[in-house]
Every structure is written in C-alpha cells, then in structure tokens.
C-alpha cells in the first residue's frame, strides 16, 4: 500500500514538477533517516510516548516521526528538507509546556527534539553571560552557573525537565520575574535556524548594540513559529550571600498591595519576591500533611511571602527593620522571619505546594492571568463573586506573584461535589467569567503559559486585531511556507 | 509652472488609474493642509531650519514640507494619505539624533513632527508606570515622575530637547543602562501608527503577558522605519533616598575591570554607575577651567566613577566599606567619596564634560562602540596602537560605561595640528581601524546612536547577512510601500 502511494506520488511529481505533494509518514521517516541517521529517527508510534504525552493530558495526537538531530548543521538540513516538502516541524524541548505548543495538532507533523543540543558552550562570570544550547535542562543550567559562583535566576516548577529552547520559546518566568525579569529579559542573544534552513547567528552578548531591529526579542516567546532556537546567551548574576525571608500576615489583597508598595520603596531592587497566599492554602496543606510544621506566625486570612537578597558586605537586618516599620504602621498584623535554611525552605514549600494541595481537594479550574498590579484586589473580589454566582460553594484559591500582577486564580470544587461533573459543567463557564473580569481590568488571558494550541481561538477573540495582523505579516515574512509549528499561536 | 505640472499629473492619473505619480511639494503641502490645517504645515524652506539642521551638521537636505499634527487621528490620516501616494514620511522628535535618522535624505520627504504630542497621559507610582506621548521632552518626563516621588531613569546629555518618541525609536540609553536598562528595557508598551494608517494599541502595561509576538521590542529602536510611535508606557521607579559616589584611582583598564567585578559582586543591583575616565580628561578640563576644583584624590592614569543607590531604611556606608576592602586588596590605589551634593555634582561634571573638553583641544574623531566587557582593555590597547600607527601623536581619549562594554573611544588631534587637514586625512582611516578592532573583539559599531543615514553602508558591510534579510523581510511585511523613513537603517 505504501509502495503504490509512493509510486503514485512520484508519478504526480514527474507530471507536475511545481506541485508539492504531501509526503507520507514513511517518506518523511526515510528522508529524515537519510539526513540525520536512522538512529536519530523514531518512526514507531508506540515509541513516541515521551514526545507526544504532554503534562495536562489534554492533547492526544500522533506525529509522522520524531527526529533528534545531534547538531546545528543536521538541523538545518532537516529544516531545508521540510521547507521544500511543506512538512510541518514542531520544535520540542522538555515537553513540559502547558498549552500544547510542543505536541502535534494534525498528526502529520514531525517533532524535532532539541534534547541532544545539551552543551553549555561557555560561561563568563566576569561578563555575566552563559551560552547554553537549546537542549540544556534548566536545572543543569542552574548548576553550571553555581559551579562558577553565579546564578541563572529563572526558576520553574518544571526545571528538572524543561529545556532552555522551550523556556525561551514560551518566554517562561516564575517567581524570579520581580527581581530578575522573564526569559526574554534574561536572554541577551540567540542562535536559531530559520524556516529556509539558514542560521541566524545572534549570540553576541552586548548590552548596548543599536545595529538593527530587535530580532532576539521577536524570536523569544514566539513558541517555535518563527525559528528554531538552537542556543542562547543568558544573563548570569553574582550569587547573593544570603536571603532574608518572612511570612507576613495581611488582612486582605488591598493590604497586601499597600505592603508591597512599602517594601518596593524600602528595598528597591533587593526585593526578590512578594507572593500572595490565601489562608485556604494553609488549610489544605496542613490537612493533607504537606508541611512538617505551620510556617506562619499566627492565623490570618492572607499571607505575603516576602524575600530580600543580601549581597556580601551588606549588613543583615533590612527585612526585619522594614517589617517593624510596617507593623507599627498597620500595614501588617504579624510576621515571622526565617531564622534558618529549614525555615526558609518551609516558607517556600508553603508557596510552591499551592497547585499540588488543590489537587488533593478534588477538581480545580485554573487560570494563568495577569492584571495591572493595582487591579489585583478587584480581580480577586470580582472573580470570586462571579464564580460563586455560577457555582455556589466553589472555593477560590488565588495565589501568586503580586509584584507582577500575575495571579494563579484557581478554584477548587465545592467539598463533596463530583469532580467530573463539576468540571464538565463549570470549566468553560468559569473560564469565560474570569477572562471577562481580566479583560475588563486591562489584563492578559495568558500571563505565563503562552498560546500554543489551547488558546488560539481565545487569542483571536481577545487580542487587538491590528496586533494580530502584524503578527500574521511577520509570520508570513519569516516562514512563507508555514512549516514552523503550524497551527500554534496563530490559526 | 506648478499648475501645469499638476494638470499633467492629473491627466496621467486619469489615463492610468493604477499608476502612482510622485507628488510635487506643492501638492503635498496642499494635501497636508487639508488634513491637518494650514497652520500645522510649514511649506517655506526658509522656516524649516529647526527641523532640518541636525546636531552633527553633517546632513543638509531640504524637505517637501514639515507637518505638525495635533493628535493621533490627524496623524493617521496623514499616514494613510502618504501610503496611498507613496510619499516618504520622517517622524521627528527633538531633532537630537546623531546619525541623521530624523532628517531628509532625498529632499522629497515630509517631516512629521510629533512635538505637539506632549501630554503625560497618566502616572501610576503604585504600578510603576508612566504613560507619555511621543512629543514629551525627556526632561519633562523626569520632572513629572519626580513630582510624584518617582523617577524615570533614562538620562541623556540631550534630555532638554530629546523627546520620548525619538528616545524610544533610537533605543537610547546612557549612564543609566547598567542599573535600569536602555529605552527598550524601560518601555512596557507602545501605541503607534502603522504604515497603512491603522493604530497599534499596545500600551497595556503588564509585566507578564504571553499573548503573541513581542511587537513592542520590535518597534522600539526601529528608528521610525516600522511605525510612528505616538505614546509609550514607561517604567518608573521609587526614588532612592540617596546615592554614594566616589572617584577611584585605578592603574589601568584591566585594573578597572577587576574593580568592576568586585563592585558588582558586593553591590549587586545597587551599583548605579561604573564609568571609566582617562587622566587626559582631567588634564583637558583643568587646563580649560571647566572644573571649580580637582575632584580626584590624587593623580592617577585612570579613574573610575562609582555610584551606589541607597533606598530609605538602608544604612549608609556600603560604598565606603567596599572601597576599603578594594584598597586593602590592591584593586585600587586611592579614592575619594563625595561628602556633599557639590562633591557629587563635581564628580559627575568631570564625567559629563568629557566630549566638550575634547572640542576645546581641537578636532576629535569619535566612535560609539561596544565590546564584551572583558574585551575593553584590549579594545583600548589595540585601538590606541592602531591609531598611533596611522597618526603619530594622536591623543586617545577613551571613556564611558565600563559596565555596559560601551566605550566612547574618541581621539583628539595631535597638539598644534591643523584641525581640518587632520580630519580630512585621518577620519575615515581611524574609523576603519577602530571598527576592525571592535568587530574582531565581537563588538558593535553602533552601541548607542543607531544607524540612521550615517551608517547604512557600514551596517550592510558588517552585519550578519541573515539578520539583514530578516530585517528586510519584516520591513517589507509592515511597510510594503516603503513610506516610513525610507533609506534609513536599510538601503
């Protein structure tokens, strides 16, 4: 059957030399093996699981093949072949993305895994630059920097699996954004393969360089639709000597916002984190034995996890002094400062276990949204009210990066409800209600995770149409045959 | 004469409806007056001086007209008309640019002055955002922020005239880049008119927003070739309570580099400035009475101007402690710390008067270049040697932003030489020699000032050809008729 399809296509190509016939999976596999070596190609669907199964278990599509090129020139040859034959390519890192950008849509695509691009090419602590290939695991990038007394300050829950190319393509950024910025701000330059197979050599790591358009920032966050990132020059920073961490009792999101302004005024760029956590999070975590002790000073409806960096040669105590002033001024009602590494670890566990503790309480509807910082209290109030009207007894669990405006506005099912019917009945309605509030407040419907396949339609509904047109024009200009991650981000 | 040209063109347009005839200046003036009001149009070349005469006195071209729209809708109508009629538009701010991006090339262009877009639309110190129109003078933006207890940390020598639109279009950035970043990093969003007259509404000021390509960073630094910026959301910061400033004696650029690493490790993000100044700068300034007193501790071949910020609630003395350690360790040989505002002002004057003091010593050949920070000593050594070989007795005057890798690598003529013949004989040869060294060290031939008209050919010679192709593809995608600042940046 394959042979006759192949002969038929060969006949068509002979008769109509300009006509591009879609390749069969077998033809694709054969061509890729010729380019990359057969050991670098996975043709058997039953062996593709690690590349097809994404973390949210939402997308279940196969691929024509998975190819794992060993180096840039092989990757370039693959892309040239794909461009000539109109084969869709999906660049993939650690397969940790949450919106399906890294897995197939139609089943005819070839997944290109960058996992073998795993070298740290250079570290220059004097210059504050680390050059890492796209397949380097984020945690390994951290270790490489620390081995030289520096840090690469981009921390994600998935850092044990996420790889640099994917981190940059999704412009990832977690707790670190407040002090150090997101992936885009931590990237000085990229090397990438374009849709026609040519190599964009943009690794130069100059802080001041006004010789043309900012192509680097265009490629970062483009979710693999404009080029395939192969390496990046990343900013690394001197390691702080220590951190000062506290868990502070605040009465409300409004009070937390005031405390945030105060801390920002006092600490400036030393403010490393300001995370908002609701009391329900403590309730969930204690109930399910997720904390070895209660990390808080006393009961409170809300908590702020606050952290300052301290560089060598600076006297400790800045956080204590700031909190004393805050307590005197009524900006907070109680606080406890970490006195040991164990204290600090426990406080951060309290914050980092928020998603996990929800899963122990049944179904959860999640939103990755941001609003202007001053609108956070309204987001929480209006969003919670809207959700309660739809599903009485639903439990709001909003937490996250107050200093960025990025709140993980999640909702746990009412206690005792049936998880499956709760999700079936309310998932879409709650999303619509929350996105309405977010957009009304001038916010974003995807603060961190990106668009991928999950939010393509949503983007088309909510994004400024002029911006969408600009994006489409740029996409067409850089990828005229539409082979780079087709169907992701833009329809 | 004008009338018959007009009739002839009208006849052509009637006969060949698809054909675009170039408009005469008179036709352009007439159309602009109908759109913007005649009081907003300057047709008389003798009244265009403020818009045609640029600071380096290098470019002397006329314009078809100058138009000063009062608002966004009028500007959109102007751009639509220009797009339909293939009229080149040159967006202009304060006419302070140093590479001729803001003045005409062919004489057929219309200068569009954004000077009437001079409102601060909003300041939100809680959110850390100021929304300013493109015509706001940079110094006025500073004042508006300070009136609310905040600062917009982008300082330029030309800030009394430069306007926000031009500052962003050239991605300007001076001393502030080390601590706060350049214009691009200080901009959260832009509003801009596209080549077809549509308005890109990208002012939303969200720190975390992954809903599409990074159009903001593409438009910033595009020198008016991709869109006309009309307003921007700018980052503002809490005002430090104080600064700690010192002038430190260092033996060489290598020693300065070591001291920089040390200070970066000690002070982290509190390090506000690290400027390298050669002894010849002190010699020039004292000789010409430009300083009321010698600001240095004692004679030294090189000086480092070092400054730390201090936020409210932080104990003073961090700079003193750091310098004591540095002196003990031999990283510096002497130092003086500013003890008053007058001291600090004098130290900064010493740095800021470097260009001016050169002009008092005759002709000067200037380079706005950057290299990786670690390569600064080699840049200075090899560049000075190359220049000396070409012009014995030439006096190197390298100074600037060590922390950015951006050295203003200038050369003063040998004492007593004839200025005009010196420039005629050596300007191009010295530029070629210095750019050779810069490129060999992996640097940039335009660190701050951009490309404009001055460096179009240079860019084509030195820039990665793949990057140039990407730029051209994006330019064609966003401005198919080539009406936005034609001939600037790209040939």
């Amino acid at each position: 059957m394959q042979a006759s399809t192949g002969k038929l296509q060969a006949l068509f190509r002979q008769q109509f030399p300009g006509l591009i016939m879609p390749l069969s999976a077998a033809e694709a596999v054969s061509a890729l093996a010729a380019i990359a070596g057969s050991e670098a190609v996975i043709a058997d669907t039953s062996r593709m699981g690690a590349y097809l199964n994404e973390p949210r278990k939402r997308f279940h599509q196969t691929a024509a093949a998975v190819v794992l090129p060993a180096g840039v020139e092989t990757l370039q040859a693959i892309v040239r072949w794909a461009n000539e034959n109109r084969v869709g390519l999906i660049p993939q890192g650690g397969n940790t993305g949450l919106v399906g950008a890294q897995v197939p849509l139609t089943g005819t695509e070839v997944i290109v895994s960058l996992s073998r691009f795993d070298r740290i090419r250079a570290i220059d602590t004097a210059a504050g630059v680390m050059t890492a290939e796209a397949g380097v695991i984020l945690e390994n990038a951290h270790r490489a920097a620390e081995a030289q007394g520096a840090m690469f300050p981009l921390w994600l829950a998935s850092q044990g699996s996420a790889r640099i190319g994917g981190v940059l393509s999704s412009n990832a950024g977690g707790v670190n954004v407040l002090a150090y910025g997101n992936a885009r701000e931590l990237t000085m330059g990229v090397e990438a393969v374009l849709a026609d197979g040519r190599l964009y050599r943009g690794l130069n790591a100059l802080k001041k360089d006004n010789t043309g358009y900012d192509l680097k920032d265009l490629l970062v966050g483009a979710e693999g639709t404009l080029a395939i990132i192969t390496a990046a020059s990343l900013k690394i920073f001197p390691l702080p000597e220590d951190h000062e961490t506290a868990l502070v009792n605040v009465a409300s999101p409004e009070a937390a916002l005031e405390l945030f302004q105060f801390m920002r005024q006092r600490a400036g760029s030393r403010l490393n984190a300001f995370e908002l956590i609701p009391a329900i999070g403590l309730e969930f975590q204690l109930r399910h034995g997720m904390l070895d002790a209660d990390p808080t000073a006393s009961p409170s409806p809300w908590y702020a996890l606050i952290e300052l960096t301290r560089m060598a040669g600076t006297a400790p105590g800045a956080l204590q002094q700031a909190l004393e002033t805050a307590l005197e001024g009524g900006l907070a009602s109680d606080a406890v400062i970490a006195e040991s590494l164990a204290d600090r670890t426990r406080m951060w566990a309290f914050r980092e276990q928020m998603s996990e503790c929800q899963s122990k309480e049944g179904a959860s509807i999640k939103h990755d949204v941001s609003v202007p910082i001053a609108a956070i209290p309204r987001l929480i109030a209006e969003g919670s009210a809207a959700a309660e009207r739809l599903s009485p007894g639903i439990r709001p669990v909003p937490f996250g990066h107050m200093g960025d405006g990025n709140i993980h506005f999640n909702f746990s099912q009412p206690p005792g409800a049936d998880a499956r019917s709760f999700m079936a009945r309310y998932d879409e309605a709650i999303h619509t209600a929350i996105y309405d509030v977010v957009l009304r407040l001038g916010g974003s419907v995807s603060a961190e995770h990106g668009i991928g396949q999950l939010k393509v339609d949503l983007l088309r509904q909510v994004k400024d149409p002029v911006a969408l047109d600009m994006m489409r024009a740029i996409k067409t200009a850089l990828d005229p045959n539409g082979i780079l991650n087709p169907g992701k981000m833009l329809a």
Side-chain angles (χ1 to χ4, degrees), chain A:
Chain A
M1 188 58 169
Q2 293 276 19
S4 16
T5 308
K7 280 191 181 144
L8 193 61
Q9 289 186 348
L11 184 65
F12 263 107
R13 284 192 201 104
Q14 199 183 344
Q15 293 292 326
F16 306 103
L19 188 66
I20 310 286
M21 296 294 301
L23 298 183
S24 66
E27 287 181 299
V29 165
S30 174
L32 290 166
I35 296 170
S38 53
E39 71 286 358
V41 184
I42 302 175
D44 181 352
T45 321
S46 68
R47 289 179 48 226
M48 289 183 193
Y51 306 91
L52 300 182
N53 301 331
E54 50 81 26
R56 286 278 162 96
K57 300 180 171 38
R58 212 186 267 268
F59 304 106
H60 310 285
Q61 183 57 274
T62 187
V66 179
V67 61
L68 298 91
V72 173
E73 285 174 15
T74 304
L75 175 60
Q76 289 182 267
I78 291 168
V79 178
R80 271 195 305 273
W81 162 82
N83 196 32
E84 283 157 22
N85 290 281
R86 308 298 192 268
V87 175
L89 297 180
I90 302 175
Q92 190 182 95
N95 193 5
T96 57
L98 299 174
V99 289
Q102 75 279 15
V103 292
L105 184 64
T106 64
T108 62
E109 305 101 317
V110 168
I111 292 175
V112 181
S113 169
L114 276 298
S115 57
R116 294 170 75 186
F117 285 52
D118 62 356
R119 279 192 316 126
I120 304 279
R121 288 185 189 171
I123 301 184
D124 183 346
T125 53
V129 184
M130 172 170 65
T131 307
E133 293 184 342
V136 169
I137 292 172
L138 181 52
E139 209 164 63
N140 290 345
H142 293 159
R143 290 200 192 110
E146 277 153 37
Q148 309 263 342
M151 68 174 176
F152 176 53
L154 199 167
W155 301 291
L156 305 174
S158 58
Q159 58 196 31
S161 308
R163 296 175 189 257
I164 291 294
V167 169
L168 265 54
S169 291
S170 60
N171 187 29
V175 166
N176 50 281
V177 174
L178 178 63
Y180 298 103
N182 54 27
R184 188 174 285 130
E185 293 163 310
L186 289 170
T187 303
M188 297 192 73
V190 296
E191 174 192 276
V193 176
L194 305 184
D196 63 3
R198 288 195 298 170
L199 189 64
Y200 167 62
R201 291 183 173 81
L203 280 176
N204 91 26
L206 299 170
K207 206 163 171 21
K208 287 177 105 168
D209 184 9
N210 280 338
T211 55
Y213 299 152
D214 185 2
L215 301 172
K216 179 264 291 183
D217 285 320
L218 187 63
L219 299 188
V220 175
E223 303 189 22
T225 64
L226 296 181
I228 299 181
I229 293 172
T230 50
S233 304
L234 306 168
K235 292 184 187 176
I236 56 178
F237 294 75
L239 274 166
E241 183 164 85
D242 200 6
H243 293 93
E244 296 175 12
T245 314
L247 217 36
V248 183
N249 292 14
V250 286
S252 61
E254 285 84 354
L257 190 58
E258 276 195 73
L259 181 60
F260 169 74
Q261 305 305 351
F262 169 75
M263 288 306 311
R264 194 163 163 266
Q265 190 72 36
R266 286 285 290 224
S269 51
R270 291 184 56 188
L271 183 58
N272 197 39
F274 194 110
E275 298 283 304
L276 181 69
I277 310 172
I280 197 173
L282 185 65
E283 176 194 331
F284 286 4
Q285 294 189 36
L286 290 175
R287 177 179 304 155
H288 297 284
M290 296 173 71
L291 294 163
D292 61 339
D294 181 339
T296 69
S298 53
S300 176
W302 298 87
Y303 302 96
L305 172 61
I306 302 179
E307 187 167 89
L308 267 54
T309 49
R310 187 176 65 72
M311 305 303 290
T314 310
L319 181 57
Q320 172 142 4
Q321 289 160 32
L323 289 178
E324 279 165 7
T325 307
L327 287 160
E328 279 160 28
L331 289 177
S333 57
D334 203 353
V336 56
I337 294 180
E339 289 178 359
S340 64
L341 183 58
D343 284 350
R344 181 177 179 243
T345 304
R346 187 180 303 109
M347 288 178 181
W348 274 105
F350 176 33
R351 165 60 183 88
E352 281 160 359
Q353 290 172 163
M354 283 304 295
S355 258
E356 194 194 333
C357 74
Q358 275 194 278
S359 62
K360 297 190 189 297
E361 285 280 322
S364 164
I365 298 174
K366 300 179 181 348
H367 306 85
D368 166 44
V369 294
S370 67
V371 292
I373 293 164
I376 289 176
R378 285 185 61 193
L379 168 69
I380 292 174
E382 291 174 32
S384 300
E388 168 71 19
R389 280 193 296 271
L390 281 166
S391 169
I394 200 173
R395 293 175 291 173
V397 188
F399 61 93
H401 321 288
M402 179 147 249
D404 298 339
N406 173 209
I407 295 295
H408 294 289
F409 201 172
N410 295 353
F411 292 87
S412 278
Q413 65 166 73
D418 175 66
R420 198 159 295 164
S421 29
F422 170 78
M423 289 304 278
R425 187 166 171 195
Y426 294 115
D427 188 49
E428 200 178 320
I430 301 278
H431 270 96
T432 301
I434 297 302
Y435 287 155
D436 274 354
V437 177
V438 168
L439 291 167
R440 197 163 27 77
L441 295 174
S444 165
V445 297
S446 185
E448 283 181 350
H449 302 155
I451 304 300
Q453 5 180 343
L454 181 65
K455 295 184 177 177
V456 170
D457 288 341
L458 179 64
L459 189 69
R460 209 168 28 184
Q461 290 163 38
V462 309
K463 190 79 170 176
D464 170 32
V466 175
L468 280 172
D469 280 351
M470 292 169 75
M471 288 172 58
R472 289 186 193 108
I474 291 167
K475 167 68 172 176
T476 304
L478 295 185
D479 180 18
N481 295 324
I483 62 153
L484 296 178
N485 224 0
K488 310 292 175 44
M489 193 183 276
L490 296 167

